[in-house]
Coordinates of all heavy atoms in Angstrom, one line a residue:
G595 N 1.0 -4.1 -8.7 CA -0.1 -5.0 -8.3 C -1.5 -4.7 -8.9 O -2.5 -4.8 -8.2
I596 N -1.4 -4.3 -10.1 CA -2.7 -3.9 -10.8 C -2.9 -4.9 -12.0 O -2.0 -5.5 -12.5 CB -2.7 -2.4 -11.3 CG1 -1.4 -2.2 -12.2 CG2 -2.7 -1.5 -10.1 CD1 -1.4 -0.8 -12.8
A597 N -4.1 -5.0 -12.5 CA -4.5 -5.8 -13.6 C -4.0 -5.2 -14.9 O -4.2 -4.1 -15.2 CB -6.0 -6.1 -13.7
L598 N -3.2 -6.0 -15.6 CA -2.6 -5.5 -16.9 C -2.7 -6.7 -18.0 O -2.8 -7.9 -17.5 CB -1.1 -5.2 -16.7 CG -0.8 -4.0 -15.8 CD1 0.7 -4.0 -15.5 CD2 -1.3 -2.7 -16.4
P599 N -2.7 -6.3 -19.2 CA -2.7 -7.3 -20.2 C -1.5 -8.2 -20.1 O -0.4 -7.7 -19.8 CB -2.8 -6.6 -21.6 CG -3.2 -5.2 -21.2 CD -2.7 -4.9 -19.8
P600 N -1.5 -9.5 -20.5 CA -0.3 -10.2 -20.6 C 0.5 -9.7 -21.7 O 0.1 -9.1 -22.6 CB -0.8 -11.7 -20.9 CG -2.2 -11.4 -21.5 CD -2.7 -10.2 -20.9
F601 N 1.9 -10.0 -21.7 CA 2.8 -9.6 -22.7 C 3.8 -10.7 -23.0 O 4.1 -11.5 -22.2 CB 3.5 -8.3 -22.4 CG 4.5 -8.4 -21.2 CD1 5.8 -8.7 -21.5 CD2 4.2 -8.3 -19.9 CE1 6.8 -8.9 -20.6 CE2 5.1 -8.5 -18.9 CZ 6.4 -8.7 -19.2
K602 N 4.4 -10.6 -24.2 CA 5.5 -11.4 -24.6 C 6.5 -10.5 -25.3 O 6.2 -9.8 -26.3 CB 5.1 -12.6 -25.5 CG 6.3 -13.5 -25.9 CD 5.8 -14.8 -26.3 CE 5.4 -15.6 -25.1 NZ 5.1 -17.1 -25.5
Y603 N 7.8 -10.6 -24.8 CA 8.9 -9.8 -25.4 C 9.5 -10.8 -26.4 O 9.9 -11.9 -26.1 CB 9.8 -9.4 -24.3 CG 10.8 -8.4 -24.6 CD1 10.7 -7.1 -24.1 CD2 11.9 -8.7 -25.5 CE1 11.7 -6.1 -24.4 CE2 12.9 -7.7 -25.8 CZ 12.7 -6.4 -25.2 OH 13.6 -5.4 -25.5
V604 N 9.7 -10.3 -27.6 CA 10.4 -11.1 -28.7 C 11.7 -10.4 -29.1 O 11.6 -9.3 -29.6 CB 9.4 -11.2 -29.9 CG1 10.1 -12.0 -31.0 CG2 8.1 -11.9 -29.5
M605 N 12.8 -11.0 -28.8 CA 14.1 -10.5 -29.3 C 14.3 -11.0 -30.7 O 14.2 -12.2 -30.9 CB 15.2 -11.0 -28.3 CG 15.1 -10.5 -26.9 SD 16.3 -11.3 -25.8 CE 17.9 -10.8 -26.5
S606 N 14.7 -10.1 -31.6 CA 14.9 -10.5 -33.0 C 16.2 -10.0 -33.5 O 16.6 -8.9 -33.1 CB 13.7 -10.1 -33.8 OG 13.7 -8.7 -34.1
D607 N 16.7 -10.7 -34.5 CA 17.9 -10.2 -35.2 C 18.0 -11.1 -36.4 O 17.3 -12.2 -36.6 CB 19.1 -10.3 -34.3 CG 20.1 -9.1 -34.6 OD1 20.1 -8.6 -35.8 OD2 20.9 -8.7 -33.7
L608 N 18.9 -10.8 -37.3 CA 19.2 -11.5 -38.5 C 20.2 -12.7 -38.3 O 19.9 -13.9 -38.7 CB 19.6 -10.7 -39.7 CG 19.6 -11.3 -41.1 CD1 18.2 -11.9 -41.4 CD2 20.1 -10.4 -42.1
P609 N 21.3 -12.5 -37.6 CA 22.3 -13.6 -37.4 C 21.8 -14.7 -36.5 O 21.4 -14.4 -35.3 CB 23.5 -12.9 -36.8 CG 23.4 -11.4 -37.2 CD 21.8 -11.2 -37.2
L610 N 21.8 -15.9 -36.9 CA 21.4 -17.0 -36.1 C 22.3 -17.2 -34.9 O 21.9 -17.7 -33.8 CB 21.4 -18.3 -36.9 CG 20.1 -18.5 -37.7 CD1 20.2 -19.7 -38.6 CD2 18.9 -18.7 -36.9
K611 N 23.6 -16.8 -35.0 CA 24.5 -16.9 -33.9 C 24.0 -16.1 -32.7 O 24.2 -16.5 -31.5 CB 25.9 -16.5 -34.3 CG 26.7 -17.5 -35.1 CD 28.1 -17.0 -35.4 CE 28.9 -18.0 -36.2 NZ 30.3 -17.5 -36.4
N612 N 23.5 -14.9 -33.0 CA 22.9 -14.1 -31.9 C 21.8 -14.8 -31.1 O 21.7 -14.8 -29.9 CB 22.4 -12.7 -32.4 CG 23.6 -11.8 -32.8 OD1 24.7 -12.2 -32.7 ND2 23.2 -10.7 -33.3
I613 N 20.9 -15.4 -31.9 CA 19.8 -16.1 -31.3 C 20.2 -17.2 -30.4 O 19.7 -17.4 -29.3 CB 18.7 -16.5 -32.4 CG1 18.2 -15.3 -33.1 CG2 17.6 -17.3 -31.8 CD1 17.4 -15.6 -34.3
T614 N 21.2 -18.0 -30.9 CA 21.7 -19.1 -30.2 C 22.3 -18.6 -28.9 O 22.2 -19.2 -27.8 CB 22.8 -19.9 -31.0 OG1 22.1 -20.4 -32.2 CG2 23.4 -21.1 -30.2
G615 N 23.0 -17.5 -28.9 CA 23.6 -16.9 -27.8 C 22.6 -16.5 -26.7 O 22.8 -16.7 -25.6
W616 N 21.5 -15.9 -27.2 CA 20.4 -15.5 -26.3 C 19.8 -16.7 -25.6 O 19.6 -16.7 -24.4 CB 19.3 -14.7 -27.0 CG 19.7 -13.6 -27.7 CD1 20.8 -12.8 -27.5 CD2 19.1 -13.0 -28.9 NE1 20.9 -11.7 -28.4 CE2 19.8 -11.9 -29.3 CE3 17.9 -13.3 -29.6 CZ2 19.4 -11.1 -30.4 CZ3 17.6 -12.6 -30.7 CH2 18.3 -11.5 -31.1
Q617 N 19.6 -17.7 -26.4 CA 18.9 -18.9 -25.8 C 19.8 -19.6 -24.7 O 19.2 -20.2 -23.8 CB 18.7 -20.0 -26.9 CG 17.6 -19.5 -27.9 CD 17.5 -20.5 -29.1 OE1 18.5 -20.9 -29.6 NE2 16.3 -20.8 -29.4
Q618 N 21.0 -19.4 -24.7 CA 21.9 -20.0 -23.7 C 22.3 -19.0 -22.6 O 23.0 -19.5 -21.6 CB 23.2 -20.5 -24.4 CG 22.9 -21.6 -25.5 CD 24.1 -21.9 -26.3 OE1 25.2 -21.2 -26.2 NE2 23.9 -22.9 -27.2
H619 N 22.0 -17.7 -22.7 CA 22.4 -16.8 -21.7 C 21.7 -16.9 -20.4 O 20.5 -16.9 -20.3 CB 22.2 -15.3 -22.3 CG 23.1 -14.3 -21.6 ND1 22.9 -13.9 -20.3 CD2 24.2 -13.6 -22.0 CE1 23.8 -13.1 -19.9 NE2 24.6 -12.9 -20.9
P620 N 22.5 -17.1 -19.3 CA 21.9 -17.3 -18.0 C 21.0 -16.1 -17.5 O 20.1 -16.3 -16.7 CB 23.0 -17.4 -17.0 CG 24.3 -16.9 -17.8 CD 23.9 -17.1 -19.2
G621 N 21.2 -14.9 -18.1 CA 20.4 -13.8 -17.7 C 19.1 -13.8 -18.4 O 18.1 -13.2 -17.9
L622 N 18.9 -14.5 -19.5 CA 17.7 -14.5 -20.2 C 16.8 -15.7 -20.1 O 15.6 -15.7 -20.2 CB 18.0 -14.3 -21.7 CG 18.7 -13.0 -22.2 CD1 19.0 -13.1 -23.6 CD2 17.8 -11.8 -21.8
V623 N 17.5 -16.8 -19.7 CA 16.8 -18.1 -19.5 C 15.6 -18.0 -18.6 O 14.5 -18.5 -18.8 CB 17.7 -19.2 -19.0 CG1 17.0 -20.4 -18.6 CG2 18.7 -19.6 -20.2
P624 N 15.7 -17.3 -17.4 CA 14.6 -17.2 -16.5 C 13.3 -16.6 -17.1 O 12.2 -17.0 -16.8 CB 15.1 -16.4 -15.3 CG 16.6 -16.6 -15.3 CD 17.0 -16.7 -16.8
F625 N 13.5 -15.6 -18.0 CA 12.4 -15.0 -18.6 C 11.7 -15.9 -19.6 O 10.5 -15.9 -19.8 CB 12.8 -13.7 -19.3 CG 13.3 -12.6 -18.3 CD1 14.7 -12.2 -18.4 CD2 12.6 -12.1 -17.3 CE1 15.2 -11.3 -17.5 CE2 13.1 -11.2 -16.4 CZ 14.4 -10.8 -16.5
V626 N 12.5 -16.8 -20.2 CA 11.9 -17.8 -21.2 C 11.1 -18.8 -20.3 O 10.0 -19.1 -20.7 CB 13.1 -18.5 -21.9 CG1 12.5 -19.7 -22.7 CG2 13.8 -17.5 -22.8
E627 N 11.7 -19.1 -19.2 CA 11.0 -20.1 -18.4 C 9.7 -19.5 -17.8 O 8.7 -20.3 -17.5 CB 11.9 -20.6 -17.2 CG 13.1 -21.4 -17.6 CD 14.0 -21.7 -16.6 OE1 14.0 -21.0 -15.5 OE2 15.0 -22.5 -16.8
Q628 N 9.6 -18.2 -17.6 CA 8.4 -17.5 -17.2 C 7.3 -17.4 -18.3 O 6.2 -17.0 -18.1 CB 8.7 -16.1 -16.6 CG 9.5 -16.2 -15.3 CD 9.9 -14.8 -14.9 OE1 9.1 -13.8 -15.0 NE2 11.2 -14.6 -14.6
G629 N 7.8 -17.7 -19.5 CA 6.9 -17.6 -20.6 C 6.6 -16.2 -21.2 O 5.8 -15.9 -21.9

């Protein structure tokens, strides 16, 4: 409950298949929606 800088987590990799998998994963979608 303290003031902190905003942050953005960026998942990266070389294979596009991995990125497509992350975009569709139900565990990760809520964090995308939170920005």
Side-chain angles (χ1 to χ4, degrees):
I596 56 178
L598 296 168
F601 71 89
K602 178 158 288 188
Y603 195 108
V604 180
M605 297 171 65
S606 74
D607 217 334
L608 193 57
L610 280 172
K611 283 185 177 180
N612 288 357
I613 298 171
T614 301
W616 302 335
Q617 291 173 316
Q618 300 170 352
H619 198 289
L622 299 173
V623 168
F625 299 118
V626 175
E627 293 173 345
Q628 293 173 47

